Amino acid sequence: MNFVLLFFSFFLQNLITVRCERQDINALLYEKFDNAASCFRLLNGTHQFGCSSSLSGSLGVIHFIENEHDIDWLINNAKAGPYMAVVPPKIFNQRNLMLELQSSKDISGILLAINGTNDRPDSFSPDDTCPNRYSGEGTCSADWNPVGTSLLLVDWGKPMFVVKDPVVIEKIHQCFLKFNQPFDDSQMHKSLCSLQMKSHMHAAVDTATCIRRSNSITFVFNPLSYCDGMGDKNIISTLEPIKKPENRSILLFSTRLDTASMFDGVMLGAMSTMTGLVTFLATAKLLSSILPANSSLERNVMFAMFNGEMYDYIGSGRTVYDIMQKTFPKESNPINFEHIGLMVDVSQMSKSPKLFCHTKRMNNDVDLLTKEFCRSLEMDAVKPVTVASEVDDELPPSSVHPFLKRDKNIPAVVLANHGKEYINRYYNGLMDNASNIEYRYYNSSAIPEESVQAVLAKISTSLAKSLYAWVTRKNYTGPEVVKPDIIDELLYCYLESRNCKIFKQSVAPEEKLTADLTPLYVGVYKSPNTITKLTALTHVYFTGRNVNISESHCKSSDDDYSYYWISGQSGKGECKQTTVQLLKALSPAFEIEGYDWTSREYSTWSESVWQEMSLRMFLKPSRQQEMVTLVVGLVTLVLSFIVVYWLKSQAHLLFQIEVGVAC
């Protein structure tokens, strides 16, 4: 018994030792970069987009690209491939050069290296020149985003990662300089610094094919999903509960919640989305405070933050579908399109005090209603904000389009910082961050008048006054305004850290927040987005009414209101009465039986499932060394078979076998 225990102890010790040595050897062979972000695959009803590696990962020799000459050498003269092309933003931003890399069989992957704030081109927008080109209510003939490269809509057929850490980039560059120079045929005969990219995507072809494969009977006993429908939740509320609305009695005040993303977990969308979202939240806060509580007004405002708008208007398209099904916002008291008297969508904002009020060129009463709102906003504008009316044949890409596709008689206005084309040179790009809106966190210190915080505060005040006038038919003459401090804190929450004052006041007292950033990419419907929840609770905190109810009773709901227990300014907890609802933002295409995936009636975007994403660097041996290793391995294998065969055939001579004596 003691011998058995000793044997197992010895075996376990050796097993642990071997495993530890294996990890040490693995660490010596590879250097893994954990802060790299990978491009992933998306699909719609007709195509696939994005990136994917092979199942085991794609390998390639590192080569830094600085100009067109480097690309020409890599494609036409290099012989030690396949290669991993490391490109700076100035190269990545040139569509024709990137498509050369994409089409070359000698390129196994692409690494985008953003080396600090100085590595910033004049423009960097991977979206289309006309975002959501095929899902608007018009033809989308205007180039709203003239610097767009449409790289978001390319099927790369190979992996792509982005690294923004200068230390990591320097490590890769030094390895490249040490082992991969000179760039000639000598690369064939030496060890080369290489990268392995692993980001295999399970989905392929298009959403219809992916859904069909996922639902195949082959996997009944082993369910497997290849892709998931994109979406999350819309945040919907009203100034007062909707009872029996009259025609044209509701102003639909909307904005979008999401940004498009090419790389997993790194998109912020400062000007693309966050400035409009922050302006929306601040406007709702002021409007809720200046209107009398429980007022019996003939008109109402519905606040709507739509999710998934960058992908063919998932959220607003779902809302339109629900209105048609008579289930929005509640089955017990739905609204229809005739109840919407005006739709005002808040789009991109910036530190520019010039606000453009976009309306569609029409010759009926709808035209008069939209122009009337723009004139009202112009009169209510708080200096230095100015309002310019912009009459368009087609409205800018925004949440109004799904509504106008169903009912062209809905008066619609889009508010933005641009006229005929975006002033945002980084729309839906990696560099649409705090620097793009010239944001600096002041943390309760004096905020300059020309800052983005001060300008957005004045735009929010102007908007709230115009909405007040629409609801009450009276001008607001009170002293209340949106303070720049509120804008400063909101931008800090979205751009710097979610462990911020406003988010901490909006969640329950016991809930702890991390300092992580949460990008506004919509994700998939079955995985709730943290930032959507935090935004909804912030909206509750800003627009809900305090009620004197204990925590144990502050979790119920009725036909008109929901109740939330949040930290509040004291941090000890308070109960908020609110009309805020989180409603489904999933395209009806995933629920309509027999839906035609090519019809473009609703969004068909889905996201591929993946298991692991990793980027690591290693030293690839020369071809001669690989051949020697292969030959030695084969010779060893053959010799081992010969030795084993010989030992077995001569076992009766080599090993003495004692025959037992029968008792």
Side-chain angles (χ1 to χ4, degrees), residues 359-576:
T359 59
K360 189 174 180 180
R361 184 176 284 107
M362 301 178 77
N363 295 312
N364 54 22
D365 293 340
V366 173
D367 195 20
L368 296 175
L369 289 171
T370 55
K371 287 181 178 178
E372 181 183 345
F373 180 82
C374 290
R375 283 194 297 268
S376 171
L377 184 59
E378 185 177 357
M379 290 188 297
D380 289 327
V382 180
K383 292 182 179 180
V385 176
T386 59
V387 178
S389 294
E390 190 77 30
V391 181
D392 307 301
D393 292 324
E394 299 172 4
L395 288 172
S398 60
S399 300
V400 303
H401 284 277
F403 288 86
L404 295 178
K405 281 178 71 174
R406 290 296 176 185
D407 186 351
K408 294 186 182 298
N409 290 318
I410 296 177
V413 173
V414 178
L415 302 176
N417 62 355
H418 63 83
K420 297 298 183 182
E421 60 182 45
Y422 295 168
I423 66 171
N424 184 4
R425 311 289 290 180
Y426 305 96
Y427 182 78
N428 279 341
L430 285 167
M431 297 175 186
D432 189 10
N433 50 25
S435 298
N436 192 32
I437 60 173
E438 300 178 48
Y439 170 72
R440 171 197 161 194
Y441 183 45
Y442 287 94
N443 195 17
S444 301
S445 60
I447 298 176
E449 284 295 316
E450 66 278 5
S451 66
V452 65
Q453 295 94 316
V455 172
L456 294 185
K458 289 180 170 60
I459 291 176
S460 302
T461 301
S462 307
L463 259 174
K465 291 168 66 177
S466 293
L467 296 179
Y468 178 94
W470 191 91
V471 171
T472 65
R473 295 185 172 91
K474 298 177 182 178
N475 293 329
Y476 177 69
T477 57
E480 292 191 51
V481 297
V482 174
K483 297 179 181 179
D485 289 349
I486 294 293
I487 305 294
D488 191 41
E489 285 297 329
L490 281 171
L491 287 175
Y492 178 77
C493 291
Y494 286 107
L495 289 171
E496 303 289 344
S497 170
R498 63 185 176 191
N499 187 26
C500 59
K501 296 175 186 176
I502 290 179
F503 281 177
K504 285 193 287 188
Q505 292 166 353
S506 302
V507 299
E510 66 275 6
E511 187 168 346
K512 303 299 180 184
L513 299 174
T514 64
D516 300 334
L517 284 176
T518 308
L520 295 183
Y521 168 67
V522 62
V524 297
Y525 180 73
K526 72 177 187 179
S527 298
N529 199 333
T530 301
I531 203 66
T532 302
K533 172 190 171 184
L534 291 174
T535 302
L537 290 173
T538 300
H539 191 47
V540 169
Y541 177 46
F542 280 178
T543 62
R545 297 181 181 126
N546 286 338
V547 290
N548 189 18
I549 300 177
S550 64
E551 180 180 1
S552 59
H553 293 89
C554 189
K555 295 178 181 179
S556 59
S557 61
D558 51 45
D559 289 341
D560 294 333
Y561 295 104
S562 297
Y563 297 85
Y564 288 84
W565 185 259
I566 65 173
S567 296
Q569 286 188 335
S570 67
K572 297 179 180 179
E574 59 187 42
C575 189
K576 287 284 188 178

Side-chain angles (χ1 to χ4, degrees), residues 139-155:
T139 58
C140 204
S141 58
D143 287 342
W144 295 100
N145 183 33
V147 299
T149 60
S150 297
L151 295 181
L152 275 171
L153 304 176
V154 172
D155 179 17

Side-chain angles (χ1 to χ4, degrees), residues 594-615:
Y595 178 76
D596 180 3
W597 295 95
T598 64
S599 67
R600 293 177 179 168
E601 184 176 3
Y602 298 110
S603 173
T604 56
W605 286 92
S606 62
E607 180 189 282
S608 174
V609 171
W610 66 79
Q611 290 181 328
E612 179 187 2
M613 291 184 176
S614 64
L615 174 69

Side-chain angles (χ1 to χ4, degrees), residues 180-455:
N180 295 6
Q181 289 184 327
F183 310 131
D184 52 30
D185 290 348
S186 66
Q187 283 192 339
M188 298 278 291
H189 312 294
K190 62 183 182 181
S191 298
L192 298 172
C193 193
S194 304
L195 288 175
Q196 182 193 49
M197 294 182 178
K198 191 170 184 180
S199 58
H200 179 68
M201 301 287 130
H202 293 299
V205 185
D206 53 44
T207 296
T209 303
C210 180
I211 296 295
R212 185 169 61 251
R213 289 178 63 203
S214 297
N215 294 336
S216 172
I217 195 170
T218 306
F219 303 107
V220 167
F221 300 105
N222 184 23
L224 179 64
S225 175
Y226 290 100
C227 65
D228 297 299
M230 294 174 63
D232 191 31
K233 296 287 186 179
N234 292 328
I235 304 171
I236 307 295
S237 71
T238 52
L239 276 175
E240 294 293 337
I242 295 175
K243 298 297 185 182
K244 294 182 179 179
E246 300 292 332
N247 283 354
R248 306 303 179 194
S249 64
I250 296 175
L251 187 150
L252 182 55
F253 185 55
S254 65
T255 193
R256 58 174 171 251
L257 267 173
D258 67 305
T259 59
S261 181
M262 190 171 181
F263 297 94
D264 182 43
V266 294
M267 302 300 288
L268 290 175
M271 191 185 298
S272 304
T273 299
M274 288 184 181
T275 48
L277 178 58
V278 165
T279 300
F280 177 95
L281 289 169
T283 301
K285 181 179 188 300
L286 179 58
L287 181 62
S288 298
S289 66
I290 61 180
L291 278 169
N294 299 315
S295 54
S296 299
L297 298 171
E298 295 179 2
R299 292 180 168 184
N300 205 342
V301 174
M302 176 177 285
F303 302 103
M305 287 173 267
F306 295 122
N307 224 329
E309 294 302 274
M310 296 297 186
Y311 296 95
D312 291 336
Y313 309 118
I314 295 174
S316 53
R318 178 65 195 219
T319 298
V320 167
Y321 175 79
D322 288 343
I323 291 176
M324 295 170 60
Q325 300 300 310
K326 302 186 185 306
T327 60
F328 180 85
K330 293 182 178 181
E331 289 188 39
S332 59
N333 197 9
I335 68 168
N336 57 48
F337 296 114
E338 287 73 25
H339 293 144
I340 302 174
L342 181 65
M343 183 173 182
V344 178
D345 189 75
V346 182
S347 187
Q348 299 177 79
M349 298 288 161
S350 60
K351 66 181 295 184
S352 170
K354 188 172 184 179
L355 184 63
F356 289 86
C357 192
H358 290 268
T359 59
K360 189 174 180 180
R361 184 176 284 107
M362 301 178 77
N363 295 312
N364 54 22
D365 293 340
V366 173
D367 195 20
L368 296 175
L369 289 171
T370 55
K371 287 181 178 178
E372 181 183 345
F373 180 82
C374 290
R375 283 194 297 268
S376 171
L377 184 59
E378 185 177 357
M379 290 188 297
D380 289 327
V382 180
K383 292 182 179 180
V385 176
T386 59
V387 178
S389 294
E390 190 77 30
V391 181
D392 307 301
D393 292 324
E394 299 172 4
L395 288 172
S398 60
S399 300
V400 303
H401 284 277
F403 288 86
L404 295 178
K405 281 178 71 174
R406 290 296 176 185
D407 186 351
K408 294 186 182 298
N409 290 318
I410 296 177
V413 173
V414 178
L415 302 176
N417 62 355
H418 63 83
K420 297 298 183 182
E421 60 182 45
Y422 295 168
I423 66 171
N424 184 4
R425 311 289 290 180
Y426 305 96
Y427 182 78
N428 279 341
L430 285 167
M431 297 175 186
D432 189 10
N433 50 25
S435 298
N436 192 32
I437 60 173
E438 300 178 48
Y439 170 72
R440 171 197 161 194
Y441 183 45
Y442 287 94
N443 195 17
S444 301
S445 60
I447 298 176
E449 284 295 316
E450 66 278 5
S451 66
V452 65
Q453 295 94 316
V455 172

